[in-house]
Amino acid sequence: MDKSDAVWSQEGTTPDAIEAALRELLRERHAESDSFVPARVLNMIAFVDREWSGEIANRLRGVGRNHASRLLVLSFEPSRERLDARVSIASEGEPTPGELALLRETVIVEIGARHLDDLLTIADPLVVSDLPTLLWSPHGHHEIVERLLGLAQAVLVDSVDEPVAGEGIDRAFSLTAQAYVVDLAWLRSTPWRERIAATFDPPARRAELHAIESLTVRHHPDSTVAAMLLVGWLASRLGWETGALVAQEGALAGQARDAARKDVALRLEAAPELRVRGLEGLTLQTSCGRRLRLDRRPGGLHAHDRDAQGRERAWTIPGASRGETGILGEGIRQALLRDPTYVPALRAAQGLLP
């Protein structure tokens, strides 16, 4: 525990007692120095299985400055009868004269199956009113997400966590009707989307976007959804009609149809050698002769581009991979933003489902 942390805990407690403890701890910190002020940007509610709470805590500790202002962890153990809680308020450092030190609050409430019917009553007093709230249930529990949606403006999901790709896409799409959805599977494809966009950004190349004739995406075996979202992004931006993919020689293959009614060959290939979730590489070809290949490599994203005249260029984009901790931190940050491209990509990805 950091020396600047203030901590309160109680066994057999109530939401009112927890909320009162929060107020008292904040009062005490401000009495120490009027430079201590609570961060007031974002609430985050995380519903986690107790046996995995340590792993989730480690992931959240690593998000750095993207940490929520107030984090409420509902630690679930089905057999638990008593409501226990721990509150900690930590500063980002000791205040220096004339400067402010932000306080971040973490509330851990241990609950059991008997408390689920009162989940809204438990959680409601423990989030800061008038702040946006991000809801995250990393171990599934879709029914819990539905119960808590009334408190949240954004929901954090990872579409690759669903056992079937179609379930992940359909689940995310259904949630978009009720809240803003931040999908970690989508965020993992960000460097790949940025590189494709940068390749065709020069005005002289933009016409080539409408000459794409094939796209192959290589992905972690559990990240078919991430590959579908990348294809869905291109389809939604370029006006392609997507069609169902079919299993073919260890891959999923099919076609989209562009605005000129020309077919675009699509292929999603699993890359068993990839040890982290996400994409391993892609190859995009146009009828003009351009071929763009991107590959995940140590040190960054390796790009190889051959233009219509056959001239070739290769380079590495350093730091393209942020790791799972970086992806989670970006997901929390995205709860305060709005990405207008995700839902159209998700809708187009639905058309790819076998």
Side-chain angles (χ1 to χ4, degrees):
M1 182 177 67
D2 191 279
K3 66 178 182 179
S4 63
D5 286 5
V7 178
W8 170 93
S9 64
Q10 188 172 81
E11 297 177 347
T13 189
T14 66
D16 287 342
I18 302 169
E19 194 272 336
L22 271 165
R23 283 188 283 107
E24 179 61 19
L25 286 179
L26 285 169
R27 187 195 66 76
E28 291 174 0
R29 296 313 307 271
H30 189 67
E32 292 175 29
S33 169
D34 57 11
S35 294
F36 283 128
V37 294
R40 287 295 178 259
V41 178
L42 178 71
N43 297 306
M44 183 173 181
I45 302 174
F47 185 94
V48 305
D49 289 331
R50 189 175 186 276
E51 63 265 33
W52 296 102
S53 58
E55 184 254 343
I56 296 301
N58 287 336
R59 289 180 67 185
L60 289 170
R61 254 194 298 272
V63 302
R65 62 187 179 88
N66 290 321
H67 198 288
S69 305
R70 179 175 289 182
L71 170 64
L72 169 59
V73 178
L74 300 172
S75 180
F76 178 60
E77 184 179 18
S79 61
R80 171 171 286 275
E81 294 291 326
R82 190 180 62 197
L83 196 74
D84 295 347
R86 184 178 187 273
V87 175
S88 64
I89 297 182
S91 69
E92 296 184 343
E94 293 298 328
T96 56
E99 294 186 357
L100 298 178
L102 292 178
L103 300 174
R104 298 190 184 275
E105 304 142 64
T106 300
V107 183
I108 301 174
V109 183
E110 298 185 6
I111 62 173
R114 67 184 299 270
H115 302 110
L116 295 183
D117 288 341
D118 299 317
L119 213 49
L120 272 176
T121 305
I122 293 170
D124 191 19
L126 304 180
V127 294
V128 183
S129 57
D130 301 325
L131 287 187
T133 296
L134 173 65
L135 175 59
W136 184 38
S137 181
H139 307 123
H141 298 292
H142 299 326
E143 74 286 354
I144 299 299
V145 172
E146 296 294 335
R147 292 187 190 192
L148 292 173
L149 268 176
L151 296 178
Q153 290 72 48
V155 181
L156 186 66
V157 303
D158 192 344
S159 293
V160 304
D161 283 340
E162 298 294 337
V164 179
E167 292 177 2
I169 289 175
D170 289 341
R171 167 77 179 155
F173 192 77
S174 68
L175 283 171
T176 61
Q178 304 169 77
Y180 177 63
V181 173
V182 181
D183 192 342
L184 300 182
W186 170 252
L187 296 181
R188 291 187 189 97
S189 71
T190 300
W192 308 84
R193 289 184 277 116
E194 289 176 344
R195 180 42 44 194
I196 293 172
T199 297
F200 294 97
D201 185 59
R205 295 185 188 172
R206 291 179 190 173
E208 293 185 48
L209 282 168
H210 302 287
I212 295 174
E213 61 180 8
S214 70
L215 174 64
T216 298
V217 183
R218 299 172 293 281
H219 59 87
H220 184 279
D222 294 335
S223 294
T224 305
V225 169
M228 287 183 171
L229 287 172
L230 177 67
V231 175
W233 168 71
L234 264 178
S236 64
R237 305 309 291 170
L238 298 177
W240 297 352
E241 295 178 11
T242 52
L245 302 176
V246 297
Q248 185 182 95
E249 299 177 356
L252 291 174
Q255 293 179 329
R257 181 161 290 180
D258 67 16
R261 313 304 292 172
K262 294 182 298 182
D263 289 336
V264 180
L266 304 175
R267 186 174 176 85
L268 309 185
E269 298 178 349
E273 67 279 7
L274 185 60
R275 296 185 178 182
V276 295
R277 294 193 289 188
L279 304 181
E280 190 272 339
L282 67 84
T283 303
L284 181 155
Q285 296 192 105
T286 73
S287 58
C288 305
R290 181 175 299 279
R291 181 179 184 271
L292 173 68
R293 181 177 174 115
L294 302 175
D295 293 288
R296 183 193 294 264
R297 296 275 182 86
L301 200 63
H302 181 76
H304 184 278
D305 182 47
R306 184 191 66 203
D307 66 16
Q309 286 72 45
R311 294 172 297 200
E312 298 189 17
R313 185 166 67 103
W315 69 101
T316 298
I317 302 97
S321 176
R322 292 163 290 179
E324 285 301 295
T325 298
I327 293 294
L328 178 58
E330 179 63 15
I332 295 171
R333 190 181 77 89
Q334 285 287 329
L336 298 169
L337 307 174
R338 291 296 180 267
D339 183 348
T341 63
Y342 172 66
V343 174
L346 193 62
R347 187 180 295 114
Q350 279 189 307
L352 299 170
L353 296 176

